[in-house]
Amino acid sequence: MSDWFLQRPYGVRFEWGPTGAQRLAADVACLVVVDVLSFTTSVAVAVEAGTRVHPYAWRDETASVFAEERAAALAVGRRAATSDSPWSLSPAALRRAPFTPRLVLPSPNGSAIAAAAAGSAVVAGCLRNPSAVGRWLAVRGYGTPEHPVAVIAAGERWPDGSLRPALEDLLGAGAIIAALQAQGAGPLSPEAAAAHACFTHTPDVPAAVAGCSSGVELARGGFAEDVDIACELDAGTVVPVLADGAFEAQRAG
């Protein structure tokens, strides 16, 4: 297959979804997964509290087995949370839930992208932590033509399973790309530059996320607080990094 899709020779690259991650992973040193509503925001909230988060691609009976093998709590769907199983793919629920040292967080998009890394470093990015992620990457020499970074916007799924590019993930990816550029990373691929421009030229990012299709869907479903938490711009100072199968907190420095 031709390599036209790899965005060479740029130091900072941008793509969409699990398939985009799979195509770029073997040619980059690091993948940054961006799933603002809500996988990577949930990961960020959990690791800030000291929890190690195991991504898992399926929300079915195999997830329970996976969690038991790791002596981890299992996050359930937003509407399935109970007092006995209070952890879910909801940043607000995770803030209220009791502390657990290990958590399995099923997510078909975010987890599938993390699994596509093919030996590259994997970082969870969102609107809560772009500056921290940008510093962490730059300090370690990522974001150059020699050690390129691919920022992957997860997007959502239409009912037929096809990818729905999601504005909140484009903005989250753009925020991380902007932070990387501010740290001297680059050059940006045209795709990365377009995501950067989307973020920097959006006058009110929280309002855009709240008003976009995904934000409206969550608010109408009773989860407006999740949108609010996802829009806490640069409130987080830790960087979730995948190590030994789980995201754990690292500092930017």
Side-chain angles (χ1 to χ4, degrees):
M1 181 182 292
S2 173
D3 63 358
W4 53 265
F5 54 85
L6 292 175
Q7 300 177 35
R8 292 174 179 164
Y10 301 102
V12 181
R13 308 172 189 182
F14 170 74
E15 255 304 344
W16 283 97
T19 301
Q22 291 166 3
R23 293 294 177 89
L24 266 62
D27 201 61
V28 299
C30 182
L31 286 181
V32 181
V33 186
V34 182
D35 189 348
V36 169
L37 296 175
S38 296
F39 175 73
T40 54
T41 299
S42 295
V43 170
V45 167
V47 302
E48 285 167 11
T51 296
R52 297 185 80 243
V53 178
H54 296 264
Y56 193 68
W58 311 108
R59 188 178 289 121
D60 57 18
E61 63 276 2
T62 66
S64 298
V65 175
F66 183 83
E68 289 174 4
E69 292 173 347
R70 286 151 184 80
L74 175 63
V76 297
R78 278 186 173 90
R79 298 187 183 283
T82 65
S83 57
D84 292 329
S85 298
W87 305 278
S88 76
L89 193 64
S90 162
L94 291 177
R95 278 188 173 175
R96 291 189 290 266
F99 171 75
T100 181
R102 291 172 296 279
L103 178 69
V104 171
L105 191 62
S107 168
N109 281 350
S111 293
I113 293 169
S120 301
V122 180
V123 173
C126 58
L127 288 167
R128 288 182 48 80
N129 66 0
S131 292
V133 169
R135 288 194 301 272
W136 188 93
L137 293 167
V139 164
R140 287 154 183 81
Y142 294 123
T144 66
E146 295 75 25
H147 301 286
V149 170
V151 182
I152 308 294
E156 298 292 343
R157 295 285 176 180
W158 290 111
D160 66 0
S162 61
L163 176 71
R164 175 173 71 81
L167 177 62
E168 70 276 9
D169 294 340
L170 180 60
L171 289 167
I176 290 162
I177 292 165
L180 268 166
Q181 188 180 58
Q183 294 290 328
L188 308 186
S189 72
E191 293 87 346
H196 175 287
C198 180
F199 173 74
T200 56
H201 291 284
T202 296
D204 189 336
V205 170
V209 173
C212 74
S213 299
S214 302
V216 170
E217 178 189 20
L218 283 180
R220 288 181 179 176
F223 298 99
E225 189 179 358
D226 286 346
V227 181
D228 293 339
I229 293 171
C231 291
E232 293 172 348
L233 294 175
D234 256 340
T237 59
V238 301
V239 181
V241 180
L242 194 64
D244 298 324
F247 286 103
E248 59 184 27
Q250 294 193 16
R251 294 289 172 182

